[in-house]
Amino acid sequence: MTALELITLLSQAIYVVIFLFVGVRYLRAPTPAHLDMTVFFGILAFVVVEQRIATALGIVPPEWFTDTVIAAVIALPYILLRLVDDFTAVPRGVKRGAELLLIASIASAYVLPGPTLPPLYVLLIVGYIAGLSFYCGFRFFRAGLRAQGVTKRRMQAISLGTVLFALDILAAGIGGQMSEPWKTLLAAIGQVLGLAAAVSWFLGFAPPPILRRAWQAPALRQFLARAANLPRLPTTRDIVSELERGAAAATGSEARIGVWDDDILKIRFWPPSGEPTDVEPGRYFSGRAFEQQKTLFSAQPARDDPEAADTYRSANVGAIIATPITAGEKRLGVLVLYAVRPPIFAVSDAELSQLLADQAAVVLESRALIDHAARVRAREEATRLKEDFLSAAAHDLKTPLTTVVAQAQFLERKATRDPSAPSDLPGLQRIVREAQRLSALVTDLLDAARMEQGRLTSDREPVDLGALVSAVASRQRAGAHTVEVDVKGAVVGNYDGRRIEQLLENLIENANKYSPNATPVSVGVWQQDGEARIAVQDRGIGIPASDLPRIFERFSRASNVDDRRFHGMGLGLYICRGIVEEHGGRIWAESEIGKGSTFHVALPLSEERRLN
Ligand code: ADP
């Protein structure tokens, strides 16, 4: 056997293999595209096998048979055109023209007497087959440019195969009409081209799984790269739209993801705009794929799902692949891919869809786990806070309460023993002081609870901060500390006066409380950058830098305060922050341990003040 014969044998064997492959696929998924492929390679395989048998047995077939074989070969590029049409739209004019030429060519093949056909006729037929094949090759190439992933690669391979086939036909047709040595040379070139076309078509129409996976890899990698960070997006809806974008980019089609909602027992889809739509399991393609837990493909959605036929028609949906998104036993949702035309390669598209759905399952499942962990953490946190709260509140209420009870019992015993004795004023004053502390603690607790609901402050009215600071400071002067006030001009804003007073009292009381050496405390009020500013400065114990960020949190106390020396629950600054923030302002502290602290407050000024 010569090398050329081997090449011919090889290409012919490939045609037969492709025919068997696409034939089986057609039986499994009888779509128009699969039918066209089967017919195309069926003709090629038939011609090849028929010739081999005839040569081997030395049979000369009757003329009608040869004519039929020729007619079938002439029909090949037309079937290719139909394949192009299965994937993209071929203009009507081109289709009708190709059909007319086809009928004319086939009719003439029967009419003209055999066995040798007139050279002009042969050249015309060759021109028709090659021309139409070139056109198809070009259209496949264009479709490949628009497609993504595996489909793109397969389109490219088919486009190449089709162009090589056209060249093969040209070489064979022209060579047949020439004399030696051109005849042999062109025949040899034709055979090599034929083999190259067969290999390209094989890769395009029946790629081995390993190649398919390699072609899928880039699309998947891209999808995975995006998927890695998705579970941390703020909402499931954000994740779903990102997944949809990724799936659309990987498949070159429209992608929608429905997420199973356990509360309503439906699959929920969020369209890019508008209200979500809910689908019951078993309804439409999405519901059916979800219920049956298998990928569904339809090249005629309007026929296969009459209930939604109008929607498919108006949205120009020509093909659907619906794949369940499932993690282990857990049914999470469904991925639906929509295309204007049925993808030629429904099987590999369904494979890709399955891979994407698996990835989506991982992302959605991680999201569910993160949500679950957050809920558990929140519950633990709430429990911890409640425990903290109870122990802090119980502890802080207990101390003054013990004093009040003990002092009151002591006075009671004294009065019982000697009813005429003069009243014990210092003892009564202690009861009053401790009862006031108790009352202040309970007020703080109530305020903290109000703050949780964001309703700490109420009606606003113009308040002059300078006047308010002076009033609060003069009340505080009674203590061991001197409070210096420095007010720069009128600083007026619309505030809840009572709460701002509470804020100032808290800050000045803290400054006094945490400055045991009776050092002076100064309070400044001024305007800066269109804001009202207050600063309360002391030269007390200071706050460790590591504690500064959290002293405004609930029940938070700095590590340098000794509970026995400085009473407190750690609610004062928390309430201060609530008051300031409800007014749209900011509060922060600067401090140096052992040197003192400054608490800053910035509040919005009233409108007319800010303009000045
Ligand atoms: P409390 O005074 O009841 O502990 P606060 O919320 O008012 O609660 O203050 C929280 C913590 O911030 C205090 O425990 C203390 O550690 C620290 N702190 C507040 N003000 C000052 C200050 N002027 N100087 C030093 N530390 C302070």
Side-chain angles (χ1 to χ4, degrees):
M1 190 185 280
T2 66
L4 279 181
E5 277 167 358
L6 185 68
I7 288 177
T8 314
L9 181 68
L10 207 60
S11 17
Q12 291 178 344
I14 293 177
Y15 289 137
V16 175
V17 169
I18 302 181
F19 166 64
L20 292 175
F21 187 90
V22 293
V24 170
R25 202 165 54 186
Y26 170 68
L27 293 179
R28 285 218 306 253
T31 66
H34 286 167
L35 176 65
D36 288 336
M37 282 181 226
T38 310
V39 173
F40 184 81
F41 288 100
I43 293 174
L44 282 175
F46 176 76
V47 172
V48 166
V49 172
E50 175 267 329
Q51 265 177 11
R52 291 258 158 205
I53 294 175
T55 320
L57 301 180
I59 302 170
V60 179
E63 195 179 325
W64 65 265
F65 185 82
T66 317
D67 286 347
T68 307
V69 171
I70 291 174
V73 172
I74 293 173
L76 282 177
Y78 176 71
I79 300 168
L80 273 179
L81 190 71
R82 286 179 54 109
L83 265 174
V84 174
D85 197 33
D86 287 330
F87 198 71
T88 65
V90 172
R92 276 178 93 85
V94 175
K95 262 193 289 193
R96 295 295 95 84
E99 278 158 11
L100 279 178
L101 281 173
L102 174 72
I103 294 166
S105 320
I106 290 178
S108 53
Y110 280 106
V111 171
L112 290 169
T116 34
L117 294 162
L120 184 64
Y121 170 76
V122 173
L123 282 180
L124 279 176
I125 294 291
V126 164
Y128 165 71
I129 298 181
L132 196 50
S133 302
F134 274 129
Y135 174 78
C136 292
F138 166 70
R139 292 303 305 261
F140 277 128
F141 176 75
R142 284 238 320 245
L145 286 185
R146 281 197 304 271
Q148 296 286 334
V150 185
T151 305
K152 186 185 195 77
R153 302 304 176 88
R154 295 181 68 170
M155 280 292 161
Q156 286 168 342
I158 291 172
S159 158
L160 181 65
T162 309
V163 170
L164 290 171
F165 170 75
L167 291 172
D168 176 17
I169 294 286
L170 268 187
I174 296 171
Q177 306 304 312
M178 294 183 106
S179 50
E180 297 296 352
W182 292 108
K183 195 181 174 112
T184 318
L185 184 68
L186 280 174
I189 292 175
Q191 267 146 354
V192 174
L193 286 170
L195 177 63
V199 172
S200 297
W201 271 342
F202 176 67
L203 297 182
F205 283 112
I210 186 164
L211 197 64
R212 264 205 320 254
R213 271 197 288 278
W215 282 341
Q216 272 162 359
L220 267 181
R221 240 198 321 272
Q222 226 176 4
F223 186 75
L224 287 181
R226 295 163 78 128
N229 294 321
L230 295 188
R232 305 230 161 252
L233 287 182
T235 65
T236 307
R237 185 178 174 171
D238 294 329
I239 295 176
V240 165
S241 20
E242 269 304 307
L243 283 174
E244 287 176 343
R245 257 196 288 278
T251 56
S253 57
E254 279 274 307
R256 288 275 159 271
I257 287 177
V259 178
W260 176 247
D261 188 329
D262 258 333
D263 295 331
I264 53 171
L265 297 181
K266 284 183 186 158
I267 308 161
R268 173 156 284 195
F269 288 88
W270 281 285
S273 57
E275 289 300 297
T277 44
D278 298 325
V279 174
E280 288 159 29
R283 273 188 87 187
Y284 310 122
F285 282 105
S286 48
R288 271 192 261 156
F290 181 83
E291 193 178 63
Q292 298 167 17
Q293 284 296 295
K294 67 171 192 205
T295 298
L296 297 180
F297 166 74
S298 170
Q300 283 172 305
R303 185 201 64 190
D304 297 343
D305 183 11
E307 199 184 347
D310 288 342
T311 319
Y312 297 134
R313 269 188 219 109
S314 65
N316 200 15
V317 173
I320 286 192
I321 299 178
T323 310
I325 299 175
T326 307
E329 289 291 288
K330 207 156 161 220
R331 299 175 175 199
L332 298 166
V334 58
L335 164 68
V336 191
L337 301 175
Y338 300 94
V340 178
R341 295 248 148 194
I344 281 197
F345 316 113
V347 174
S348 60
D349 279 324
E351 271 172 17
L352 183 58
S353 168
Q354 184 64 58
L355 290 171
L356 294 174
D358 289 347
Q359 276 314 312
V362 173
V363 172
L364 291 175
E365 181 69 347
S366 328
R367 172 58 179 203
L369 287 176
I370 289 174
D371 278 352
H372 180 69
R375 271 199 302 276
V376 170
R377 256 203 315 276
R379 223 177 299 139
E380 280 171 359
E381 176 79 349
T383 315
R384 199 179 56 76
L385 280 175
K386 234 181 275 165
E387 282 164 7
D388 281 1
F389 170 80
L390 280 179
S391 64
H395 177 262
D396 283 280
L397 295 175
K398 181 104 180 88
T399 322
L401 209 51
T402 313
T403 316
V404 170
V405 172
Q407 189 66 37
Q409 281 172 340
F410 172 69
L411 290 180
E412 187 191 26
R413 265 202 304 277
K414 234 166 101 178
T416 321
R417 243 185 284 133
D418 182 4
S420 61
S423 55
D424 178 353
L425 194 59
L428 285 172
Q429 279 169 340
R430 248 170 101 192
I431 294 184
V432 170
R433 213 174 39 242
E434 293 301 315
Q436 275 171 341
R437 230 180 96 198
L438 263 178
S439 156
L441 284 176
V442 172
T443 309
D444 273 1
L445 287 173
L446 288 174
D447 281 348
R450 261 193 218 113
M451 187 180 151
E452 297 294 310
Q453 295 154 358
R455 41 183 200 89
L456 202 52
T457 55
S458 52
D459 296 344
R460 313 289 158 97
E461 57 189 0
V463 172
D464 182 348
L465 287 181
L468 195 61
V469 164
S470 304
V472 174
S474 68
R475 282 206 299 274
Q476 300 274 336
R477 276 204 186 107
H481 299 260
T482 46
V483 180
E484 296 156 4
V485 176
D486 178 15
V487 177
K488 293 200 171 65
V491 183
V492 182
N494 274 324
Y495 311 122
D496 176 340
R498 207 172 55 81
R499 289 298 182 189
I500 297 293
E501 194 173 336
Q502 185 184 356
L503 163 78
L504 293 167
E505 275 168 3
N506 262 337
L507 293 179
I508 297 172
E509 264 169 30
N510 272 356
N512 286 337
K513 179 159 104 184
Y514 297 107
S515 308
N517 298 328
T519 46
V521 169
S522 52
V523 187
V525 179
W526 73 101
Q527 275 192 36
Q528 186 178 326
D529 302 331
E531 284 179 314
R533 294 286 300 271
I534 303 168
V536 180
Q537 187 177 21
D538 64 52
R539 292 182 208 141
I541 61 168
I543 303 164
S546 56
D547 291 334
L548 263 182
R550 49 173 200 88
I551 51 164
F552 294 98
E553 285 169 21
R554 193 162 49 171
F555 301 128
S556 169
R557 306 199 75 195
S559 53
N560 62 331
V561 299
D562 177 354
D563 271 349
R564 282 160 306 180
R565 189 156 165 232
F566 301 105
H567 297 295
M569 234 192 315
L571 279 180
L573 288 181
Y574 175 67
I575 293 166
C576 287
R577 192 186 72 189
I579 295 173
V580 171
E581 287 182 353
E582 279 191 30
H583 277 92
R586 294 166 290 133
I587 183 167
W588 69 101
E590 289 165 355
S591 185
E592 205 174 325
I593 195 97
K595 293 225 167 119
S597 317
T598 307
F599 282 81
H600 293 274
V601 173
L603 287 169
L605 283 166
S606 56
E607 213 51 55
E608 58 275 24
R609 291 274 155 190
R610 217 171 321 150
L611 291 177
N612 291 336

